[in-house]
Amino acid sequence: MPLPKISEARELSDEKLAEEILAVKKELFQLRLQKATRQLEKPHLFRHARHRLAQLLTVESERKRAANQAAKEQE
């Protein structure tokens, strides 16, 4: 299973991006819970979820930075 591409995250709208971030955080919580109770069968899912979360947060911060830059230029 390949790691997700950042281009997929960049195609999301702002609302969908926020929903996706929340979903990945919940998934990570569930994975940690499964690990603690020794029910985790696929430990590679941690890496995929952390990678996806990092991508989503990067895209979110890029958009915020671009919006702040645009606001400064208008002033």
Side-chain angles (χ1 to χ4, degrees):
M1 185 170 143
L3 293 172
K5 305 288 182 199
I6 196 162
S7 59
E8 296 170 4
R10 287 196 170 111
E11 294 172 358
L12 298 174
S13 67
D14 290 341
E15 298 82 26
K16 187 69 177 165
L17 185 67
E19 290 174 10
E20 193 74 22
I21 289 171
L22 187 60
V24 173
K25 285 183 177 183
K26 286 181 181 181
E27 179 185 357
L28 275 170
F29 176 78
Q30 291 299 322
L31 287 171
R32 283 193 305 269
L33 186 65
Q34 289 177 3
K35 183 180 178 185
T37 59
R38 299 182 187 263
Q39 296 175 350
L40 185 62
E41 296 179 10
K42 299 179 180 179
H44 69 280
L45 295 179
F46 267 112
R47 181 177 181 193
H48 289 273
R50 285 195 321 258
H51 185 82
R52 182 70 177 158
L53 181 61
Q55 288 177 336
L56 294 169
L57 291 174
T58 299
V59 170
E60 184 181 49
S61 68
E62 286 173 349
R63 290 182 184 177
K64 285 181 181 179
R65 209 174 314 122
N68 288 340
Q69 186 67 26
K72 284 184 180 180
E73 289 176 0
Q74 286 183 347
E75 289 179 357

